[in-house]
Amino acid sequence: MEPEITPDLVAKHGLTADEYRRFVELIGRTPTLCELGIVSAMWNEHCSYKSSRPWLKTLPTTGPNVIHGPGENAGVVDLGDGLAVVFKMESHNHPSYIEPYQGAGTGVGGILRDVFTMGARPVAVLNALRFGAPEHPRTRHLVAGVVAGIGGYGNAFGVPTVGGETEFDAAYNGNCLVNAMAVGIARTDGIFLSKAEGVGRPIVYLGSKTGRDGIHGATMASATFESEDESERSTVQVGDPFAGKRLLEASLELMATGAVIAIQDMGAAGLTSSAVEMGAKGNLGIHLDLDAVPCRETGMTAYEMMLSESQERMLMVLDPDHWEEAQAIFAKWELDSAIVGETADDLRFKVFHNGRQEADLPIKDLGDEAPVYERPYTEPPRPEPLTEDDLAAPDDIGKALLAVVGSPNGASRRWIYEQYDSVISGNVAAGPGGDAAVVRLGEGPLALAITVDVTPRYCFADPFEGGKQAVAEAWRNLTAVGAEPLALTDNLNFGSPQRPEIMAQFVGAIRGIGEAARELAFPVVSGNVSLYNETDGTAILPTPAIGGVGKLDIDRRVGLAWKEGDSLFLIGGHGDHLGASLYLAVTKGCPAGPPPPVDLPREKAHGDFVRGAIAGGLVSACHDISSGGLALAAVEMALASGHGALIDVPTRPHVLLFAEDQARYIIATSEPDALMDAALAAKIGIAPLGAVGGDHLTVPGVLRLSLAALRQAHEAWLPTYMARQA
């Protein structure tokens, strides 16, 4: 028996009273429970982008190499020679906090499906993770579960996890962030879209059976947490990477036959969003018969089937002439399949179950009429300038450096990435631990460089500069390995947009991202918005993660490892900006002051020069300077190579060592004169920095630290922390 649609039931579905009235006016009657569930899925923040859509439209999304920008399952960028790179990043934050292993694993599975749904074979995954303070009682449990979940799914699926980043901050105590990025390769003439075409064509379900896991997952992702929400485990999906691998192979094999007209991953909001999106994009109606849906649980209702987010499932429109061929492929890969409906010419979304019509809705209006809010926002306060105490030199700069390199946010992430299979494909030329991962494509010289970056403390201090910096650092990290940056994907993680101060963070970051993407010719081709990341009224730091992709000649790539006898130079010169730095966060307990400003023309000029110098064979190692400043960058290069260095800083050593001024790189070269001449000819700021040699990092008169001591400080913190008893 249908329950009464009460205000309390409407609220539980994440709809406001005004939104419910709007829906009732749209359909002209009281909805069924199934229809209420459908609109709650389509009109929640996660699916409709109702608070972010006006601002997302301001981002640059086109460019000479862009084949498909936002709006499809993933972005597509031309690589030349008939190849395209397909990539996207998405969040699985709330599920990962509730059930870290399954939440993180299904986040990886979902983003892989977004990529191979487009016809691409995945070649790499990355992640961007944020956890609470190390001393918080839940943090260690979340780190262990999330890392195991990412590795468990990616390793079993057979795709290398090649990079990422992990940071800790008390702002994430009640709401960790798990952002997953996937990258795949397709032929430019073999890209598949989600737009349904043709009337009376079969709608085919493929993949694992539907269960009750994940019901209301998208709605949960569109609401803030309360402490007791940890018990909502029914909203977390359960993944099966082996089924995901079979689904990949079956989908790609089926695509090669010409049978697939449209295809859509059943991700957020499951069968509802995939069916509605396919029909609406094609200006067609969709009629579903749920009696045909393969289910793994008995007695499932239409409501449950439409909102289930069970994993490893696809929906597609097939050419009926290929149905027998398709069935043979499905059987080969041991996947459930069924014809569950057909396309129609009535622009209606109709759902039938047990001989009863459960839904009859205008299919395009489910998206077109979704509410859009121009949320009010207040300009965030400017951070206070640094005080004399902030700028004062520490008593022992060597001890300060050891503290920075051994701090939770400065220490090595080796404990994490060694749990991931980063070489499974045999094509990974550079995995985790450098500026960008490098994945070779085939037997030729073409390779991809991939990175994920954001500095939330910058974004909190100044959202506009922080947004710019996230894009600039991703662009710089690709440049540092010798790659030409092509395009980016974003994952915009913020608190509740209904709070003006949080909406101000979002608006500022979007403005910064847009300005940097335009100036650096680094368009946004895909992405995800994750709002309401807060618990009991405490929001996360604004965290607009940027995933960047570039291309390069594999024979010209460089890494962090400098060589004995190399000369060292600083592109961009010495810095003097300590505001919002890791050094202040570690030594003073708070990253005070404004973040470093981002001069985009300077970024572009310096990056273009560095790429040219790498292509010209003048660079043996390169590292961009970011969090931790020159000092941490030099330590990472020394540890990567096993060679120490003598570094000269002319004045105020603690400022020059730890400043985080942007648009800078450390370059190691065996041809110092040629590099200097090239920089001077290009009018690029360059400063001699020192020379490589020995087994110590030495700054004359300031510090002398052995590589053994630096390695111990850098690599001990995370495994020691994770080995502690709870």
Side-chain angles (χ1 to χ4, degrees):
M1 184 175 177
E2 279 281 301
E4 181 184 358
I5 307 297
T6 64
D8 182 58
L9 186 61
V10 169
K12 286 181 178 178
H13 281 76
L15 296 172
T16 67
D18 284 342
E19 288 170 346
Y20 178 68
R21 276 195 296 272
R22 181 174 185 159
F23 180 53
V24 170
E25 291 172 1
L26 178 66
I27 65 175
R29 56 178 169 78
T30 299
T32 66
L33 178 63
C34 184
E35 289 171 334
L36 179 64
I38 288 169
V39 78
S40 77
M42 296 303 299
W43 285 12
N44 65 45
E45 194 77 60
H46 190 80
C47 294
S48 73
Y49 295 91
K50 58 190 175 185
S51 296
S52 58
R53 207 184 318 171
W55 292 102
L56 296 177
K57 290 179 179 178
T58 68
L59 294 172
T61 58
T62 60
N65 298 314
V66 176
I67 297 174
H68 292 289
E72 285 298 334
N73 285 296
V76 184
V77 178
D78 195 352
L79 291 172
D81 296 326
L83 293 179
V85 57
V86 181
F87 62 101
K88 190 181 182 183
M89 182 160 49
E90 282 210 347
S91 60
H92 232 220
N93 303 335
H94 287 180
S96 298
Y97 188 82
I98 295 170
E99 182 58 60
Y101 184 90
Q102 292 295 351
T106 51
V108 173
I111 199 64
L112 285 167
R113 288 195 303 278
D114 279 339
V115 165
F116 71 74
T117 298
M118 302 287 293
R121 179 170 291 279
V123 297
V125 292
L126 300 88
N127 52 73
L129 312 177
R130 294 296 185 281
F131 299 104
E135 62 272 15
H136 189 271
R138 192 164 168 78
T139 297
R140 192 179 297 104
H141 164 74
L142 290 172
V143 174
V146 165
V147 170
I150 290 170
Y153 200 102
N155 297 355
F157 186 92
V159 63
T161 300
V162 299
E165 57 168 16
T166 303
E167 285 193 346
F168 300 84
D169 192 279
Y172 304 99
N173 281 350
N175 200 126
C176 64
L177 299 186
V178 177
N179 294 176
M181 177 179 173
V183 181
I185 298 298
R187 299 291 308 177
T188 54
D189 59 359
I191 304 297
F192 288 81
L193 306 179
S194 56
K195 177 183 176 182
E197 294 180 342
V199 174
R201 284 177 167 161
I203 297 169
V204 174
Y205 174 115
L206 174 65
S208 298
K209 289 181 170 67
T210 294
R212 291 186 171 94
D213 55 319
I215 293 174
H216 286 304
T219 302
M220 177 186 67
S222 306
T224 59
F225 266 171
E226 303 299 332
S227 297
E228 62 270 19
D229 286 347
E230 293 178 34
S231 64
E232 293 298 318
R233 296 181 184 272
S234 64
T235 58
V236 179
Q237 309 94 326
V238 177
D240 180 348
F242 301 105
K245 174 66 170 175
R246 298 199 309 274
L247 185 60
L248 159 71
E249 299 299 345
S251 297
L252 295 183
E253 186 173 337
L254 184 63
M255 289 168 176
T257 68
V260 177
I261 295 168
I263 184 168
Q264 178 74 39
D265 162 41
M266 283 192 244
L271 189 55
T272 289
S273 64
S274 56
V276 170
E277 288 175 19
M278 285 202 305
K281 286 180 180 178
N283 289 312
L284 292 170
I286 298 286
H287 299 176
L288 296 180
D289 178 7
L290 300 187
D291 294 346
V293 171
C295 293
R296 68 168 182 265
E297 300 183 49
T298 59
M300 289 190 70
T301 66
Y303 176 92
E304 290 171 328
M305 280 189 267
M306 293 306 297
L307 296 184
S308 168
E309 293 184 10
S310 295
Q311 297 293 285
E312 288 77 50
R313 300 181 301 160
M314 290 284 187
L315 198 67
M316 56 188 74
V317 177
L318 292 189
D319 182 336
D321 293 339
H322 288 269
W323 175 234
E324 290 186 5
E325 186 177 12
Q327 283 183 300
I329 292 172
F330 302 155
K332 169 186 173 182
W333 292 103
E334 299 179 347
L335 293 168
D336 286 292
S337 65
I339 295 176
V340 296
E342 67 176 8
T343 58
D345 61 0
D346 58 2
L347 288 175
R348 304 296 295 182
F349 184 48
K350 296 182 179 181
V351 177
F352 300 90
H353 186 229
N354 290 335
R356 173 179 170 178
Q357 183 168 290
E358 296 282 357
D360 183 1
L361 300 170
I363 196 165
K364 288 186 69 66
D365 290 342
L366 283 174
D368 294 346
E369 295 300 319
V372 177
Y373 297 116
E374 295 193 7
R375 305 280 191 191
Y377 60 93
T378 54
E379 290 298 327
R382 293 290 177 185
E384 294 292 328
L386 296 180
T387 66
E388 289 187 11
D389 180 63
D390 294 327
L391 295 170
D395 294 334
D396 187 324
I397 296 177
K399 286 184 178 179
L401 176 54
L402 288 173
V404 168
V405 303
S407 67
N409 289 332
S412 168
R413 299 310 188 226
R414 184 183 301 276
W415 181 90
I416 293 175
Y417 63 69
E418 284 188 343
Q419 298 186 53
Y420 306 147
D421 191 332
S422 59
V423 296
I424 195 167
S425 67
N427 291 322
V428 179
D435 281 308
V438 177
V439 179
R440 185 171 191 159
L441 305 182
E443 300 300 319
L446 181 63
L448 291 178
I450 319 165
T451 188
V452 177
D453 294 287
V454 65
T455 308
R457 64 179 185 273
Y458 292 173
C459 298
F460 182 76
D462 187 326
F464 176 69
E465 290 296 335
K468 284 200 296 181
Q469 192 275 340
V471 173
E473 186 175 351
W475 188 87
R476 214 162 50 233
N477 281 344
L478 299 174
T479 292
V481 300
E484 173 195 351
L486 293 175
L488 66 87
T489 183
D490 58 33
N491 205 137
L492 308 176
N493 307 274
F494 292 82
S496 170
Q498 297 181 48
R499 295 166 57 189
E501 67 274 21
I502 300 297
M503 195 65 200
Q505 294 175 349
F506 181 82
V507 171
I510 285 282
R511 285 173 169 165
I513 290 168
E515 184 167 310
R518 277 184 288 272
E519 183 72 29
L520 299 174
F522 200 31
V524 183
V525 298
S526 61
N528 171 247
V529 178
S530 177
L531 302 177
Y532 296 98
N533 288 290
E534 56 182 69
T535 299
D536 296 334
T538 299
I540 62 165
L541 297 180
T543 311
I546 301 296
V549 173
K551 68 175 182 178
L552 71 159
D553 183 331
I554 193 72
D555 298 323
R556 287 298 188 185
R557 73 176 179 89
V558 298
L560 303 186
W562 55 37
K563 297 179 177 62
E564 183 82 21
D566 276 350
S567 297
L568 301 178
F569 291 89
L570 197 54
I571 300 298
H574 284 287
D576 62 3
H577 193 99
L578 285 180
S581 64
L582 179 60
Y583 162 77
L584 286 183
V586 171
T587 63
K588 306 293 183 180
C590 175
V598 180
D599 183 331
L600 292 168
R602 190 168 181 261
E603 282 282 2
K604 189 169 190 318
H606 291 183
D608 290 349
F609 171 78
V610 168
R611 277 196 310 281
I614 292 172
L618 298 179
V619 178
S620 55
C622 181
H623 195 4
D624 92 301
I625 294 175
S626 53
S627 186
L630 166 62
L632 184 53
V635 168
E636 290 171 342
M637 296 181 82
L639 296 181
S641 68
H643 298 296
L646 182 75
I647 289 176
D648 180 49
V649 290
T651 61
R652 298 182 303 158
H654 76 291
V655 175
L656 272 58
L657 286 170
F658 296 112
E660 296 181 7
D661 300 63
Q662 302 293 290
R664 297 190 302 148
Y665 305 77
I666 297 176
I667 283 185
T669 181
S670 60
E671 300 184 52
D673 293 339
L675 182 68
M676 283 286 289
D677 289 346
L680 293 173
K683 299 180 179 179
I684 296 295
I686 186 170
L689 187 60
V692 176
D695 58 3
H696 285 71
L697 189 66
T698 302
V699 180
V702 177
L703 61 84
R704 187 171 188 269
L705 297 169
S706 70
L707 295 191
L710 288 166
R711 192 177 303 280
Q712 170 64 22
H714 193 48
E715 297 200 353
W717 183 82
L718 191 51
T720 300
Y721 170 72
M722 293 305 297
R724 290 180 195 164
Q725 294 298 315

